[in-house]
Amino acid sequence: MSIELEQPDLVRDVAQVLISEEQIQAKVAELGARLSEDYRDRTLTLVSVLKGSLPFMADLMRAVKVPVRIDLMEVSSYGGSATESSGLVRILKDLSSSIDGRDVLIVEDIIDTGLTLNYLVRYLRGKNPRSLRICTLLDKPARRLVDIAIDYRGFTIPDQFVVGYGLDYGEFYRNLPFIGVLKPEVYTRA
Ligand code: IMP
């Protein structure tokens, strides 16, 4: 389903700031320090999933002190709605380089049902990486449909649809520097 939002009022449409810019930056620094320690003396390949993970990827890669390569994938789930994932995943952009024998970390914005990531993990495992771990900024466990072992987790959040710091509603709100909850009337307006 595609939705057309007309000129959303980015800040006024937010009912509540769930995670502030400062809290995000502190968490990114903490995750970066853990990764730098865990991957000491190794090189790391960060694979991020467009578009929502873009700000997290950009910040996290600069917080990691070991040599990193980056690669980007884009997937779309189809058959769902603007706020619900369907579990059917289509690859819109594949990896640019081989990950054979590499230490790979998937960098995700949010894990909700887990269906997207479950697909991605199976896909990337088939490409024979040396190791494959998962780092997500947000974990929304309430709606999980598949069991996923998350190696690095930023924040566990309640079952609310959130926007900002890369996350969108109808492709907007990605540029908010914090993570917030939209006012219900924004959904009903679309
Ligand atoms: P999953 O397959 O249900 O785990 O959903 C993963 C994808 O759904 C994420 O990468 C997001 O693009 C999107 N998504 C899930 N929950 C939210 C949310 O609260 N806000 C914005 N996007 C979300």
mmCIF file of all heavy atoms in Angstrom, residues 49-53 75 77 82-87 89 108-118 138 140 143-146 148 157-164 166-169 174 179-180 187, ligand 1:
data_model
loop_
_atom_site.group_PDB
_atom_site.id
_atom_site.type_symbol
_atom_site.label_atom_id
_atom_site.label_comp_id
_atom_site.label_asym_id
_atom_site.label_seq_id
_atom_site.Cartn_x
_atom_site.Cartn_y
_atom_site.Cartn_z
ATOM 1 N N VAL A 49 20.880 -2.041 5.777
ATOM 2 C CA VAL A 49 19.686 -2.231 4.954
ATOM 3 C C VAL A 49 18.996 -0.879 4.768
ATOM 4 O O VAL A 49 18.528 -0.268 5.715
ATOM 5 C CB VAL A 49 18.736 -3.240 5.633
ATOM 6 C CG1 VAL A 49 17.612 -3.613 4.683
ATOM 7 C CG2 VAL A 49 19.491 -4.482 6.067
ATOM 8 N N LEU A 50 18.998 -0.435 3.528
ATOM 9 C CA LEU A 50 18.400 0.859 3.197
ATOM 10 C C LEU A 50 16.886 0.788 3.341
ATOM 11 O O LEU A 50 16.315 -0.277 3.179
ATOM 12 C CB LEU A 50 18.739 1.230 1.745
ATOM 13 C CG LEU A 50 20.229 1.496 1.483
ATOM 14 C CD1 LEU A 50 20.489 1.579 -0.025
ATOM 15 C CD2 LEU A 50 20.675 2.764 2.159
ATOM 16 N N LYS A 51 16.177 1.889 3.547
ATOM 17 C CA LYS A 51 16.787 3.192 3.730
ATOM 18 C C LYS A 51 16.891 3.545 5.215
ATOM 19 O O LYS A 51 17.647 4.422 5.606
ATOM 20 C CB LYS A 51 15.934 4.271 3.045
ATOM 21 C CG LYS A 51 15.695 4.036 1.598
ATOM 22 C CD LYS A 51 14.592 5.014 1.102
ATOM 23 C CE LYS A 51 14.012 4.556 -0.195
ATOM 24 N NZ LYS A 51 12.743 5.216 -0.482
ATOM 25 N N GLY A 52 16.081 2.885 6.031
ATOM 26 C CA GLY A 52 15.927 3.296 7.434
ATOM 27 C C GLY A 52 17.197 3.260 8.263
ATOM 28 O O GLY A 52 17.330 4.010 9.224
ATOM 29 N N SER A 53 18.137 2.380 7.896
ATOM 30 C CA SER A 53 19.340 2.223 8.720
ATOM 31 C C SER A 53 20.438 3.229 8.393
ATOM 32 O O SER A 53 21.505 3.202 9.001
ATOM 33 C CB SER A 53 19.908 0.812 8.530
ATOM 34 O OG SER A 53 18.933 -0.150 8.788
ATOM 35 N N VAL A 75 15.927 -3.767 0.567
ATOM 36 C CA VAL A 75 14.881 -4.782 0.415
ATOM 37 C C VAL A 75 13.535 -4.101 0.581
ATOM 38 O O VAL A 75 13.428 -3.049 1.201
ATOM 39 C CB VAL A 75 15.019 -5.915 1.463
ATOM 40 C CG1 VAL A 75 16.346 -6.633 1.329
ATOM 41 C CG2 VAL A 75 14.824 -5.412 2.875
ATOM 42 N N SER A 77 9.476 -5.141 1.594
ATOM 43 C CA SER A 77 8.514 -6.196 1.872
ATOM 44 C C SER A 77 7.260 -5.823 1.113
ATOM 45 O O SER A 77 6.890 -4.653 1.044
ATOM 46 C CB SER A 77 8.251 -6.312 3.368
ATOM 47 O OG SER A 77 7.816 -5.103 3.884
ATOM 48 N N ALA A 82 1.621 0.330 5.354
ATOM 49 C CA ALA A 82 2.641 1.309 5.739
ATOM 50 C C ALA A 82 3.194 1.044 7.134
ATOM 51 O O ALA A 82 4.305 1.418 7.451
ATOM 52 C CB ALA A 82 2.050 2.713 5.669
ATOM 53 N N THR A 83 2.429 0.399 7.982
ATOM 54 C CA THR A 83 2.892 0.185 9.357
ATOM 55 C C THR A 83 3.007 -1.290 9.715
ATOM 56 O O THR A 83 3.317 -1.631 10.842
ATOM 57 C CB THR A 83 1.947 0.874 10.370
ATOM 58 O OG1 THR A 83 0.629 0.363 10.171
ATOM 59 C CG2 THR A 83 1.955 2.373 10.198
ATOM 60 N N GLU A 84 2.760 -2.185 8.781
ATOM 61 C CA GLU A 84 2.825 -3.617 9.067
ATOM 62 C C GLU A 84 3.704 -4.294 8.031
ATOM 63 O O GLU A 84 3.563 -4.072 6.836
ATOM 64 C CB GLU A 84 1.429 -4.250 8.985
ATOM 65 C CG GLU A 84 0.394 -3.620 9.904
ATOM 66 C CD GLU A 84 0.334 -4.324 11.244
ATOM 67 O OE1 GLU A 84 0.703 -5.500 11.296
ATOM 68 O OE2 GLU A 84 -0.069 -3.675 12.223
ATOM 69 N N SER A 85 4.582 -5.167 8.483
ATOM 70 C CA SER A 85 5.440 -5.908 7.560
ATOM 71 C C SER A 85 4.716 -7.180 7.106
ATOM 72 O O SER A 85 3.926 -7.747 7.839
ATOM 73 C CB SER A 85 6.741 -6.241 8.297
ATOM 74 O OG SER A 85 7.403 -7.280 7.691
ATOM 75 N N SER A 86 4.983 -7.623 5.882
ATOM 76 C CA SER A 86 4.278 -8.797 5.363
ATOM 77 C C SER A 86 5.110 -10.068 5.471
ATOM 78 O O SER A 86 4.572 -11.167 5.470
ATOM 79 C CB SER A 86 3.932 -8.578 3.891
ATOM 80 O OG SER A 86 5.125 -8.576 3.129
ATOM 81 N N GLY A 87 6.434 -9.912 5.530
ATOM 82 C CA GLY A 87 7.291 -11.090 5.579
ATOM 83 C C GLY A 87 7.747 -11.562 4.211
ATOM 84 O O GLY A 87 8.642 -12.376 4.094
ATOM 85 N N VAL A 89 9.793 -10.768 1.162
ATOM 86 C CA VAL A 89 10.879 -9.813 0.960
ATOM 87 C C VAL A 89 11.409 -9.902 -0.463
ATOM 88 O O VAL A 89 11.594 -10.987 -1.007
ATOM 89 C CB VAL A 89 12.019 -10.086 1.967
ATOM 90 C CG1 VAL A 89 13.184 -9.144 1.749
ATOM 91 C CG2 VAL A 89 11.503 -9.959 3.390
ATOM 92 N N GLU A 108 20.919 -2.882 11.435
ATOM 93 C CA GLU A 108 19.483 -2.680 11.205
ATOM 94 C C GLU A 108 18.962 -1.506 12.029
ATOM 95 O O GLU A 108 19.476 -1.223 13.113
ATOM 96 C CB GLU A 108 18.715 -3.940 11.609
ATOM 97 C CG GLU A 108 18.336 -4.843 10.453
ATOM 98 C CD GLU A 108 17.201 -4.301 9.575
ATOM 99 O OE1 GLU A 108 16.916 -3.084 9.625
ATOM 100 O OE2 GLU A 108 16.597 -5.092 8.842
ATOM 101 N N ASP A 109 17.931 -0.873 11.511
ATOM 102 C CA ASP A 109 17.289 0.193 12.274
ATOM 103 C C ASP A 109 16.366 -0.367 13.350
ATOM 104 O O ASP A 109 16.423 0.030 14.508
ATOM 105 C CB ASP A 109 16.504 1.140 11.330
ATOM 106 C CG ASP A 109 15.601 0.401 10.347
ATOM 107 O OD1 ASP A 109 15.564 -0.853 10.362
ATOM 108 O OD2 ASP A 109 14.920 1.078 9.552
ATOM 109 N N ILE A 110 15.510 -1.310 12.948
ATOM 110 C CA ILE A 110 14.515 -1.814 13.896
ATOM 111 C C ILE A 110 14.157 -3.252 13.539
ATOM 112 O O ILE A 110 14.095 -3.607 12.358
ATOM 113 C CB ILE A 110 13.258 -0.902 13.895
ATOM 114 C CG1 ILE A 110 12.252 -1.321 14.968
ATOM 115 C CG2 ILE A 110 12.588 -0.859 12.529
ATOM 116 C CD1 ILE A 110 11.176 -0.266 15.231
ATOM 117 N N ILE A 111 13.968 -4.070 14.555
ATOM 118 C CA ILE A 111 13.459 -5.425 14.339
ATOM 119 C C ILE A 111 12.080 -5.494 14.975
ATOM 120 O O ILE A 111 11.929 -5.278 16.185
ATOM 121 C CB ILE A 111 14.396 -6.492 14.926
ATOM 122 C CG1 ILE A 111 15.796 -6.330 14.337
ATOM 123 C CG2 ILE A 111 13.860 -7.890 14.614
ATOM 124 C CD1 ILE A 111 16.821 -7.272 14.909
ATOM 125 N N ASP A 112 11.100 -5.743 14.137
ATOM 126 C CA ASP A 112 9.704 -5.746 14.579
ATOM 127 C C ASP A 112 9.233 -7.210 14.578
ATOM 128 O O ASP A 112 9.478 -7.938 15.531
ATOM 129 C CB ASP A 112 8.915 -4.848 13.621
ATOM 130 C CG ASP A 112 7.467 -4.665 14.001
ATOM 131 O OD1 ASP A 112 7.105 -4.974 15.149
ATOM 132 O OD2 ASP A 112 6.678 -4.214 13.154
ATOM 133 N N THR A 113 8.599 -7.677 13.510
ATOM 134 C CA THR A 113 8.218 -9.090 13.452
ATOM 135 C C THR A 113 9.455 -9.978 13.315
ATOM 136 O O THR A 113 9.434 -11.144 13.680
ATOM 137 C CB THR A 113 7.295 -9.376 12.249
ATOM 138 O OG1 THR A 113 8.019 -9.093 11.044
ATOM 139 C CG2 THR A 113 6.032 -8.537 12.309
ATOM 140 N N GLY A 114 10.523 -9.427 12.744
ATOM 141 C CA GLY A 114 11.745 -10.199 12.513
ATOM 142 C C GLY A 114 11.754 -10.890 11.161
ATOM 143 O O GLY A 114 12.734 -11.534 10.791
ATOM 144 N N LEU A 115 10.677 -10.763 10.410
ATOM 145 C CA LEU A 115 10.556 -11.489 9.141
ATOM 146 C C LEU A 115 11.585 -11.015 8.116
ATOM 147 O O LEU A 115 12.199 -11.815 7.410
ATOM 148 C CB LEU A 115 9.131 -11.349 8.579
ATOM 149 C CG LEU A 115 8.038 -12.039 9.412
ATOM 150 C CD1 LEU A 115 6.656 -11.632 8.927
ATOM 151 C CD2 LEU A 115 8.198 -13.554 9.354
ATOM 152 N N THR A 116 11.785 -9.692 8.030
ATOM 153 C CA THR A 116 12.750 -9.142 7.073
ATOM 154 C C THR A 116 14.154 -9.663 7.386
ATOM 155 O O THR A 116 14.869 -10.159 6.511
ATOM 156 C CB THR A 116 12.756 -7.597 7.124
ATOM 157 O OG1 THR A 116 11.419 -7.131 7.014
ATOM 158 C CG2 THR A 116 13.612 -7.006 6.035
ATOM 159 N N LEU A 117 14.515 -9.563 8.653
ATOM 160 C CA LEU A 117 15.861 -9.958 9.055
ATOM 161 C C LEU A 117 16.063 -11.465 8.920
ATOM 162 O O LEU A 117 17.132 -11.924 8.524
ATOM 163 C CB LEU A 117 16.102 -9.509 10.498
ATOM 164 C CG LEU A 117 17.553 -9.518 10.912
ATOM 165 C CD1 LEU A 117 18.367 -8.616 10.008
ATOM 166 C CD2 LEU A 117 17.694 -9.078 12.346
ATOM 167 N N ASN A 118 15.036 -12.218 9.241
ATOM 168 C CA ASN A 118 15.115 -13.663 9.123
ATOM 169 C C ASN A 118 15.461 -14.063 7.682
ATOM 170 O O ASN A 118 16.325 -14.910 7.442
ATOM 171 C CB ASN A 118 13.771 -14.266 9.539
ATOM 172 C CG ASN A 118 13.822 -15.763 9.635
ATOM 173 O OD1 ASN A 118 14.720 -16.318 10.254
ATOM 174 N ND2 ASN A 118 12.880 -16.439 8.998
ATOM 175 N N LEU A 138 16.984 -0.520 17.347
ATOM 176 C CA LEU A 138 15.735 -0.686 18.096
ATOM 177 C C LEU A 138 15.238 -2.120 18.006
ATOM 178 O O LEU A 138 15.306 -2.740 16.950
ATOM 179 C CB LEU A 138 14.647 0.245 17.537
ATOM 180 C CG LEU A 138 14.967 1.741 17.484
ATOM 181 C CD1 LEU A 138 13.812 2.489 16.833
ATOM 182 C CD2 LEU A 138 15.246 2.293 18.871
ATOM 183 N N LYS A 140 11.738 -4.230 18.876
ATOM 184 C CA LYS A 140 10.328 -4.147 19.290
ATOM 185 C C LYS A 140 9.839 -5.592 19.453
ATOM 186 O O LYS A 140 9.257 -6.167 18.537
ATOM 187 C CB LYS A 140 9.548 -3.439 18.167
ATOM 188 C CG LYS A 140 8.301 -2.702 18.632
ATOM 189 C CD LYS A 140 7.380 -2.428 17.474
ATOM 190 C CE LYS A 140 7.750 -1.231 16.629
ATOM 191 N NZ LYS A 140 6.714 -0.924 15.621
ATOM 192 N N ARG A 143 5.939 -7.856 18.891
ATOM 193 C CA ARG A 143 5.277 -8.406 17.701
ATOM 194 C C ARG A 143 6.148 -9.430 16.961
ATOM 195 O O ARG A 143 5.905 -9.748 15.807
ATOM 196 C CB ARG A 143 4.893 -7.261 16.758
ATOM 197 C CG ARG A 143 3.834 -6.369 17.372
ATOM 198 C CD ARG A 143 3.613 -5.059 16.662
ATOM 199 N NE ARG A 143 4.194 -4.912 15.377
ATOM 200 C CZ ARG A 143 3.492 -4.859 14.228
ATOM 201 N NH1 ARG A 143 2.192 -4.940 14.271
ATOM 202 N NH2 ARG A 143 4.110 -4.688 13.096
ATOM 203 N N ARG A 144 7.171 -9.953 17.651
ATOM 204 C CA ARG A 144 8.104 -10.870 16.995
ATOM 205 C C ARG A 144 7.406 -12.164 16.559
ATOM 206 O O ARG A 144 6.651 -12.760 17.330
ATOM 207 C CB ARG A 144 9.242 -11.196 17.996
ATOM 208 C CG ARG A 144 10.471 -11.900 17.427
ATOM 209 C CD ARG A 144 11.259 -11.042 16.438
ATOM 210 N NE ARG A 144 11.314 -9.633 16.794
ATOM 211 C CZ ARG A 144 12.167 -9.105 17.642
ATOM 212 N NH1 ARG A 144 13.074 -9.836 18.201
ATOM 213 N NH2 ARG A 144 12.125 -7.824 17.910
ATOM 214 N N LEU A 145 7.633 -12.555 15.327
ATOM 215 C CA LEU A 145 7.035 -13.785 14.796
ATOM 216 C C LEU A 145 8.067 -14.885 14.608
ATOM 217 O O LEU A 145 7.725 -16.057 14.559
ATOM 218 C CB LEU A 145 6.349 -13.507 13.444
ATOM 219 C CG LEU A 145 5.127 -12.590 13.490
ATOM 220 C CD1 LEU A 145 4.606 -12.343 12.078
ATOM 221 C CD2 LEU A 145 4.029 -13.200 14.352
ATOM 222 N N VAL A 146 9.338 -14.499 14.452
ATOM 223 C CA VAL A 146 10.401 -15.503 14.343
ATOM 224 C C VAL A 146 11.477 -15.187 15.375
ATOM 225 O O VAL A 146 11.759 -14.023 15.660
ATOM 226 C CB VAL A 146 11.047 -15.537 12.927
ATOM 227 C CG1 VAL A 146 10.182 -16.258 11.944
ATOM 228 C CG2 VAL A 146 11.375 -14.148 12.434
ATOM 229 N N ILE A 148 14.927 -14.531 16.721
ATOM 230 C CA ILE A 148 16.177 -14.038 16.136
ATOM 231 C C ILE A 148 17.140 -13.706 17.265
ATOM 232 O O ILE A 148 16.766 -13.004 18.212
ATOM 233 C CB ILE A 148 15.915 -12.786 15.274
ATOM 234 C CG1 ILE A 148 15.188 -13.205 14.000
ATOM 235 C CG2 ILE A 148 17.204 -12.052 14.941
ATOM 236 C CD1 ILE A 148 15.068 -12.145 12.971
ATOM 237 N N ILE A 157 12.016 -1.198 22.670
ATOM 238 C CA ILE A 157 10.930 -0.216 22.713
ATOM 239 C C ILE A 157 9.569 -0.922 22.778
ATOM 240 O O ILE A 157 9.439 -2.074 22.377
ATOM 241 C CB ILE A 157 10.965 0.759 21.502
ATOM 242 C CG1 ILE A 157 10.764 0.004 20.173
ATOM 243 C CG2 ILE A 157 12.244 1.572 21.483
ATOM 244 C CD1 ILE A 157 10.444 0.914 19.001
ATOM 245 N N PRO A 158 8.551 -0.212 23.286
ATOM 246 C CA PRO A 158 7.205 -0.801 23.356
ATOM 247 C C PRO A 158 6.583 -0.936 21.968
ATOM 248 O O PRO A 158 7.136 -0.457 20.972
ATOM 249 C CB PRO A 158 6.420 0.198 24.216
ATOM 250 C CG PRO A 158 7.173 1.469 24.118
ATOM 251 C CD PRO A 158 8.604 1.127 23.875
ATOM 252 N N ASP A 159 5.436 -1.563 21.903
ATOM 253 C CA ASP A 159 4.758 -1.813 20.634
ATOM 254 C C ASP A 159 4.092 -0.531 20.127
ATOM 255 O O ASP A 159 2.878 -0.377 20.206
ATOM 256 C CB ASP A 159 3.725 -2.928 20.807
ATOM 257 C CG ASP A 159 3.114 -3.322 19.479
ATOM 258 O OD1 ASP A 159 3.611 -2.864 18.430
ATOM 259 O OD2 ASP A 159 2.137 -4.088 19.492
ATOM 260 N N GLN A 160 4.932 0.376 19.638
ATOM 261 C CA GLN A 160 4.435 1.638 19.079
ATOM 262 C C GLN A 160 5.138 1.857 17.754
ATOM 263 O O GLN A 160 6.300 1.474 17.599
ATOM 264 C CB GLN A 160 4.762 2.798 20.011
ATOM 265 C CG GLN A 160 3.831 2.908 21.197
ATOM 266 C CD GLN A 160 4.263 4.014 22.140
ATOM 267 O OE1 GLN A 160 5.423 4.082 22.544
ATOM 268 N NE2 GLN A 160 3.336 4.868 22.511
ATOM 269 N N PHE A 161 4.450 2.487 16.812
ATOM 270 C CA PHE A 161 5.076 2.792 15.529
ATOM 271 C C PHE A 161 5.892 4.073 15.692
ATOM 272 O O PHE A 161 5.368 5.111 16.082
ATOM 273 C CB PHE A 161 4.030 2.957 14.433
ATOM 274 C CG PHE A 161 4.648 3.038 13.075
ATOM 275 C CD1 PHE A 161 5.052 1.886 12.418
ATOM 276 C CD2 PHE A 161 4.865 4.266 12.468
ATOM 277 C CE1 PHE A 161 5.663 1.955 11.168
ATOM 278 C CE2 PHE A 161 5.470 4.341 11.225
ATOM 279 C CZ PHE A 161 5.861 3.180 10.573
ATOM 280 N N VAL A 162 7.183 3.980 15.414
ATOM 281 C CA VAL A 162 8.071 5.115 15.658
ATOM 282 C C VAL A 162 8.653 5.658 14.352
ATOM 283 O O VAL A 162 8.752 4.939 13.358
ATOM 284 C CB VAL A 162 9.219 4.726 16.630
ATOM 285 C CG1 VAL A 162 8.685 4.478 18.026
ATOM 286 C CG2 VAL A 162 9.983 3.506 16.132
ATOM 287 N N VAL A 163 9.021 6.909 14.387
ATOM 288 C CA VAL A 163 9.641 7.567 13.227
ATOM 289 C C VAL A 163 10.865 8.358 13.686
ATOM 290 O O VAL A 163 11.038 8.627 14.868
ATOM 291 C CB VAL A 163 8.664 8.532 12.499
ATOM 292 C CG1 VAL A 163 7.499 7.779 11.885
ATOM 293 C CG2 VAL A 163 8.175 9.633 13.434
ATOM 294 N N GLY A 164 11.668 8.753 12.706
ATOM 295 C CA GLY A 164 12.828 9.592 12.990
ATOM 296 C C GLY A 164 14.120 8.797 12.957
ATOM 297 O O GLY A 164 14.104 7.566 12.982
ATOM 298 N N GLY A 166 15.994 8.052 10.595
ATOM 299 C CA GLY A 166 15.969 7.093 9.493
ATOM 300 C C GLY A 166 14.628 6.413 9.291
ATOM 301 O O GLY A 166 14.288 6.005 8.178
ATOM 302 N N LEU A 167 13.850 6.285 10.348
ATOM 303 C CA LEU A 167 12.573 5.563 10.238
ATOM 304 C C LEU A 167 11.482 6.486 9.697
ATOM 305 O O LEU A 167 11.389 7.649 10.084
ATOM 306 C CB LEU A 167 12.164 5.028 11.609
ATOM 307 C CG LEU A 167 13.087 3.924 12.128
ATOM 308 C CD1 LEU A 167 12.965 3.798 13.637
ATOM 309 C CD2 LEU A 167 12.756 2.605 11.458
ATOM 310 N N ASP A 168 10.656 5.918 8.828
ATOM 311 C CA ASP A 168 9.677 6.758 8.129
ATOM 312 C C ASP A 168 8.234 6.354 8.388
ATOM 313 O O ASP A 168 7.946 5.249 8.825
ATOM 314 C CB ASP A 168 9.909 6.673 6.613
ATOM 315 C CG ASP A 168 9.402 5.353 6.032
ATOM 316 O OD1 ASP A 168 9.833 4.283 6.513
ATOM 317 O OD2 ASP A 168 8.550 5.389 5.121
ATOM 318 N N TYR A 169 7.356 7.273 8.056
ATOM 319 C CA TYR A 169 5.957 6.943 7.807
ATOM 320 C C TYR A 169 5.635 7.592 6.472
ATOM 321 O O TYR A 169 5.785 8.824 6.333
ATOM 322 C CB TYR A 169 5.038 7.472 8.923
ATOM 323 C CG TYR A 169 3.578 7.208 8.611
ATOM 324 C CD1 TYR A 169 3.092 5.898 8.598
ATOM 325 C CD2 TYR A 169 2.707 8.244 8.307
ATOM 326 C CE1 TYR A 169 1.770 5.638 8.283
ATOM 327 C CE2 TYR A 169 1.381 7.988 7.996
ATOM 328 C CZ TYR A 169 0.916 6.681 7.988
ATOM 329 O OH TYR A 169 -0.390 6.430 7.667
ATOM 330 N N ARG A 174 12.090 10.821 8.223
ATOM 331 C CA ARG A 174 13.389 10.165 8.390
ATOM 332 C C ARG A 174 14.446 11.124 8.924
ATOM 333 O O ARG A 174 15.414 10.712 9.553
ATOM 334 C CB ARG A 174 13.890 9.617 7.043
ATOM 335 C CG ARG A 174 13.058 8.475 6.464
ATOM 336 C CD ARG A 174 13.808 7.871 5.283
ATOM 337 N NE ARG A 174 12.978 7.057 4.422
ATOM 338 C CZ ARG A 174 12.702 5.763 4.612
ATOM 339 N NH1 ARG A 174 13.181 5.158 5.671
ATOM 340 N NH2 ARG A 174 11.951 5.101 3.764
ATOM 341 N N ILE A 179 13.991 9.813 17.964
ATOM 342 C CA ILE A 179 12.975 8.803 17.635
ATOM 343 C C ILE A 179 11.707 9.146 18.389
ATOM 344 O O ILE A 179 11.727 9.336 19.619
ATOM 345 C CB ILE A 179 13.494 7.392 17.962
ATOM 346 C CG1 ILE A 179 14.581 7.055 16.936
ATOM 347 C CG2 ILE A 179 12.376 6.353 17.904
ATOM 348 C CD1 ILE A 179 15.386 5.863 17.217
ATOM 349 N N GLY A 180 10.620 9.288 17.634
ATOM 350 C CA GLY A 180 9.374 9.730 18.248
ATOM 351 C C GLY A 180 8.186 8.902 17.808
ATOM 352 O O GLY A 180 8.260 8.104 16.866
ATOM 353 N N TYR A 187 -2.043 9.124 11.076
ATOM 354 C CA TYR A 187 -2.394 7.893 10.359
ATOM 355 C C TYR A 187 -3.764 8.011 9.707
ATOM 356 O O TYR A 187 -3.989 7.550 8.607
ATOM 357 C CB TYR A 187 -2.441 6.685 11.305
ATOM 358 C CG TYR A 187 -1.154 6.419 12.005
ATOM 359 C CD1 TYR A 187 -0.988 6.778 13.337
ATOM 360 C CD2 TYR A 187 -0.104 5.819 11.338
ATOM 361 C CE1 TYR A 187 0.209 6.534 13.989
ATOM 362 C CE2 TYR A 187 1.092 5.572 11.976
ATOM 363 C CZ TYR A 187 1.243 5.933 13.298
ATOM 364 O OH TYR A 187 2.427 5.710 13.936
HETATM 365 P P1 IMP B 1 10.018 -6.636 10.397
HETATM 366 O O1 IMP B 1 10.239 -7.463 9.175
HETATM 367 O O2 IMP B 1 8.587 -6.692 10.872
HETATM 368 O O3 IMP B 1 10.983 -6.938 11.519
HETATM 369 O O4 IMP B 1 10.161 -5.125 9.976
HETATM 370 C C1 IMP B 1 11.325 -4.550 9.642
HETATM 371 C C2 IMP B 1 11.113 -3.266 8.887
HETATM 372 O O5 IMP B 1 9.785 -2.730 9.080
HETATM 373 C C3 IMP B 1 12.065 -2.218 9.408
HETATM 374 O O6 IMP B 1 13.321 -2.287 8.782
HETATM 375 C C4 IMP B 1 11.295 -0.947 9.127
HETATM 376 O O7 IMP B 1 11.538 -0.519 7.808
HETATM 377 C C5 IMP B 1 9.842 -1.337 9.254
HETATM 378 N N1 IMP B 1 9.315 -0.986 10.595
HETATM 379 C C6 IMP B 1 8.953 -1.838 11.578
HETATM 380 N N2 IMP B 1 8.512 -1.165 12.668
HETATM 381 C C7 IMP B 1 8.620 0.153 12.363
HETATM 382 C C8 IMP B 1 8.330 1.373 13.090
HETATM 383 O O8 IMP B 1 7.903 1.394 14.256
HETATM 384 N N3 IMP B 1 8.574 2.534 12.408
HETATM 385 C C9 IMP B 1 9.056 2.579 11.142
HETATM 386 N N4 IMP B 1 9.338 1.465 10.440
HETATM 387 C C10 IMP B 1 9.127 0.267 11.038
#
